[in-house]
Amino acid sequence: MEMLHGITEQEWLEYLDGGLDATDAVRLQDHANTCAECAGTLRELSLWREKLVEAAALVRSAVETLPGDVDRLLAESIRRIRACEPAALRSNPRWSFKEAVVLLGLLVEPFCGPGTAGAAIRLAVRRSTDAQSDVPAVWNLFVSNMSEMISSVCGTEAGRLVNQVGICLDVAQA
Amino acid sequence: MIERPASDRPAKVLWAAMATAGCLGIAAVVWPVIEVLDQPLRIAAYIIALIYWLKISGDHPKGSTMRTAWLLLAWSSGVSIIRHSFAWANYFAKWPVSIRSFSQFPTMIALALLIAGLFAIWFGFAAIGLGVRFRRSDPIWVAVMGILAFVPYLFSWRAVSGYAVIYPLVSLSPLLLAVPLLIALLLHRIEQEMGGGQLATSLRLIVAFLLMRLVALTMNSPALASFTVSKILVGVSGWTSIWFFALAAAYRWRLTLSIRELTYRYQTDPEAELAGLVLLAENQQDVARR
């Protein structure tokens, strides 16, 4: 755990979660007000926390969704992303495509191994990529293909998990 | 939706059963009376495998390659149960060779189903690009397996039958043994390319099952069977091989249970799970940088 000026990341996280007692919370707040470096760390951690909470809320709603509703969710996600202005996309904290792929790969590795995850990712990227671009046009299409690949070897439940977690990651389109 | 965490207990019980079977196999060399337990233990292992393969096939959509694969393995287990029940009945009834030789029918059917199932597994993985690259040493392994598979064939005419139809079945036996071994090599390559994971463990156990069968059959050929070492090897490999098959099924089913457990965890505490994934990703990037 990294420590800067006697304050660990864990303490900053607890501060953000409201888990510190009043004295420590005031001490950290006072320090952040006077130290630009720690204020930066606090901003960065706060951004990560927001991303996690946002993605987690989406995961929660998706896992409660019946498989039949997945298509509707996909369509809504695509519509929402398309409706965003480029500037809004830039200012809104999102997972990069690469980050999200890494997360999905790590999700399935304990079950089917890094080799299978890698093969599924490569194939899903290839299937999701249009002729003009080297990157998948739509993240959700990639997730759908990845889910299909994993489902074909690890079973429907594994594929559904990939789909549910994948469509909930708010990924910035390339 | 869920449920209980994926437990190690069934696998532990099966490992213990396999160890017990191995010990009994060695003991049977000294005390032949123990052989009365051989067929019931094989039947028990195949029943366990049958139940697991059927449950696993239910986790794949109808018509999918892997569902077909697991169903074929289930059917192979079912036919093997008939085969070993027949052999157990024969242990008490002491039927003449002409009747005994009918066991070749379920033997061949079970082997054919096993081959089809293993091929379907390979086909399922080949569809995502695994198991389609070969190494320079593979032809050597193919040759070794071919030779080992045909050793029992050279001495297999002991299964004499009064029925002409049995002869072609007996002569097919080594071929049906050699083909699963070749597929075992493919599965081994797949399992290596997978780089770990629960599914790879299951495949590794299927490969072990096929190899142990080959050892048992080769060592049991008339040319080798009289040696004490061969008898011990036959005892260990013959009695334990089927438990590898049951273990492969148990580990594959455990994968499904683990996924259910993870889905449940995402449902109850997605923040913690996503945070865990992010930490893993960061660690991986750190390792890559080093």
Side-chain angles (χ1 to χ4, degrees):
Chain A
M1 186 66 70
E2 280 184 38
M3 184 186 280
L4 190 65
H5 303 153
I7 304 168
T8 63
E9 279 187 1
Q10 181 62 38
E11 282 177 285
W12 284 119
L13 285 170
E14 283 176 17
Y15 168 76
L16 286 170
D17 286 336
L20 292 180
D21 57 44
T23 317
D24 284 340
V26 169
R27 179 174 62 86
L28 263 65
Q29 182 60 57
D30 287 345
H31 182 72
N33 289 339
T34 56
C35 173
E37 203 174 355
C38 287
T41 303
L42 183 59
R43 265 197 306 278
E44 200 180 322
L45 288 172
S46 177
L47 195 69
W48 270 101
R49 188 175 170 277
E50 274 173 29
K51 283 169 85 174
L52 279 175
V53 170
E54 194 181 336
L58 286 163
V59 169
R60 190 179 282 122
S61 64
V63 291
E64 288 166 1
T65 306
L66 293 171
D69 291 333
V70 168
D71 286 345
R72 184 181 54 75
L73 263 178
L74 278 171
E76 275 178 14
S77 299
I78 293 167
R79 200 164 44 244
R80 185 169 56 79
I81 289 166
R82 280 178 181 162
C84 285
E85 292 292 326
L89 280 173
R90 274 196 296 275
S91 62
N92 192 16
R94 287 164 184 268
W95 304 97
S96 72
F97 178 78
K98 196 178 166 188
E99 284 169 341
V101 167
V102 168
L103 290 179
L104 273 193
L106 286 169
L107 179 74
V108 295
E109 270 185 20
F111 310 114
C112 59
T116 313
I121 287 169
R122 278 193 298 277
L123 203 56
V125 166
R126 207 181 307 145
R127 284 191 183 180
S128 315
T129 306
D130 60 33
Q132 283 80 39
S133 171
D134 287 330
V135 290
V138 181
W139 163 253
N140 297 59
L141 181 60
F142 166 80
V143 171
S144 177
N145 282 322
M146 171 95 175
S147 167
E148 194 186 317
M149 303 295 121
I150 294 298
S151 177
S152 70
V153 289
C154 291
T156 314
E157 301 216 21
R160 197 175 297 150
L161 178 69
V162 168
N163 210 354
Q164 286 173 339
V165 175
I167 62 171
C168 294
L169 291 172
D170 203 7
V171 176
Q173 296 297 293
Chain B
M1 182 174 168
I2 293 226
E3 93 192 46
R4 300 158 293 166
S7 166
D8 282 338
R9 200 176 167 197
K12 281 180 183 169
V13 170
L14 288 175
W15 280 112
M18 187 176 73
T20 308
C23 293
L24 287 171
I26 295 169
V29 176
V30 184
W31 299 291
V33 70
I34 292 173
E35 279 177 16
V36 70
L37 295 172
D38 185 16
Q39 299 303 330
L41 280 174
R42 286 168 194 254
I43 292 166
Y46 272 123
I47 288 172
I48 293 166
L50 171 67
I51 293 166
Y52 275 127
W53 293 132
L54 285 175
K55 283 164 79 170
I56 294 158
S57 67
D59 186 31
H60 289 266
K62 282 181 183 171
S64 65
T65 309
M66 289 306 264
R67 181 186 170 89
T68 308
W70 304 131
L71 277 176
L72 284 164
L73 295 189
W75 292 339
S76 174
S77 306
V79 177
S80 296
I81 291 166
I82 296 169
R83 172 195 163 201
H84 289 294
S85 302
F86 185 85
W88 197 24
N90 175 64
Y91 183 86
F92 297 105
K94 308 285 183 206
W95 288 317
V97 173
S98 57
I99 295 177
R100 226 164 48 217
S101 59
F102 276 104
S103 69
Q104 288 296 323
F105 284 110
T107 303
M108 292 300 113
I109 293 167
L111 262 171
L113 289 167
L114 181 68
I115 288 171
L118 295 175
F119 185 74
I121 293 174
W122 172 75
F123 199 71
F125 280 101
I128 65 162
L130 294 178
V132 290
R133 285 178 291 275
F134 299 98
R135 298 183 183 184
R136 284 182 184 176
S137 60
D138 284 349
I140 298 166
W141 286 113
V142 169
V144 169
M145 286 176 180
I147 291 165
L148 284 175
F150 276 84
V151 167
Y153 168 72
L154 298 173
F155 306 97
S156 64
W157 293 99
R158 62 201 157 94
V160 183
S161 168
Y163 303 96
V165 71
I166 302 297
Y167 282 102
L169 288 181
V170 173
S171 61
L172 267 176
S173 178
L175 191 65
L176 290 173
L177 264 175
V179 175
L181 278 171
L182 295 179
I183 301 175
L185 182 63
L186 293 174
L187 295 185
H188 178 57
R189 292 287 174 248
I190 290 170
E191 165 246 300
Q192 284 180 320
E193 286 173 25
M194 288 170 85
Q198 294 179 12
L199 192 52
T201 306
S202 179
L203 291 185
R204 207 172 293 136
L205 287 162
I206 292 178
V207 172
F209 159 66
L210 294 166
L211 290 177
M212 293 297 264
R213 272 162 58 103
L214 181 70
V215 169
L217 281 158
T218 306
M219 290 295 139
N220 205 25
S221 62
L224 301 169
S226 55
F227 298 105
T228 309
V229 175
S230 298
K231 285 176 183 170
I232 292 169
L233 281 172
V234 169
V236 174
S237 55
W239 286 59
T240 58
S241 64
I242 297 160
W243 293 97
F244 279 106
F245 194 55
L247 271 164
Y251 273 92
R252 173 56 192 82
W253 177 243
R254 193 163 175 265
L255 184 152
T256 299
L257 293 182
S258 298
I259 290 166
R260 277 187 195 169
E261 187 190 335
L262 187 61
T263 305
Y264 176 71
R265 277 169 24 204
Y266 267 95
Q267 202 170 15
T268 51
D269 194 359
E271 289 93 345
E273 293 306 319
L274 282 168
L277 270 183
V278 171
L279 277 175
L280 261 175
E282 285 175 346
N283 287 340
Q284 207 175 56
Q285 281 173 346
D286 285 346
V287 170
R289 273 190 218 113
R290 282 182 214 131

